[in-house]
Amino acid sequence: MAAPSGGVNCEEFAEFQLMEAHASRDRVIKNCIAQTSSVVKHLREEREKNLDDLTLLKQLRKEQTKLKWMQSELNVEEVVNDRSWKVFNERCRIHFKPPKNE
């Protein structure tokens, strides 16, 4: 996809800036969640093998907290996405109707 031209209209803004930005952030957050979930799973398995290792427990708790933050960030992103589309629709509704796959 090409970048929008110098004078950005509502359609170009929706397609290149709003949709792409939301999709990109969503992909990145989900990728981080998947990676952290994998680390948590591995640490849980290690923890089951060695219940006395406090360092391992501390690392597991740290990764679980990170995972919760990332899942929370995904929820925040959903709110930002909804609000962005609401503002876009208020400002550009007479010029352009975006597709329904927001």
Side-chain angles (χ1 to χ4, degrees):
M1 296 186 127
S5 62
V8 178
N9 63 32
C10 288
E11 183 176 2
E12 288 174 331
F13 177 79
E15 184 176 341
F16 292 105
Q17 292 182 6
L18 206 50
M19 288 177 161
E20 290 295 321
H22 290 307
S24 174
R25 287 193 305 265
D26 190 60
R27 255 189 325 272
V28 168
I29 294 169
K30 286 180 179 177
N31 186 30
C32 289
I33 288 172
Q35 288 178 2
T36 305
S37 293
S38 174
V39 170
V40 167
K41 180 181 176 188
H42 173 72
L43 288 172
R44 277 189 185 144
E45 291 168 356
E46 291 297 316
R47 176 77 176 135
E48 288 174 7
K49 293 176 189 173
N50 188 359
L51 296 175
D52 297 331
D53 190 348
L54 294 178
T55 305
L56 190 59
L57 177 62
K58 187 175 180 178
Q59 187 178 5
L60 174 61
R61 296 288 180 244
K62 182 180 175 184
E63 290 297 320
Q64 287 173 327
T65 301
K66 187 191 321 182
L67 180 60
K68 288 177 188 173
W69 286 343
M70 289 179 192
Q71 290 167 335
S72 168
E73 190 61 32
L74 193 59
N75 293 334
V76 169
E77 184 59 31
E78 185 178 332
V79 171
V80 169
N81 189 2
D82 291 344
R83 289 181 182 175
S84 298
W85 280 110
K86 181 181 176 190
V87 170
F88 174 82
N89 288 330
E90 288 171 357
R91 305 279 193 246
C92 288
R93 69 176 160 236
I94 61 173
H95 304 292
F96 174 71
K97 271 289 194 211
K100 292 292 181 187
N101 63 350
E102 305 170 2

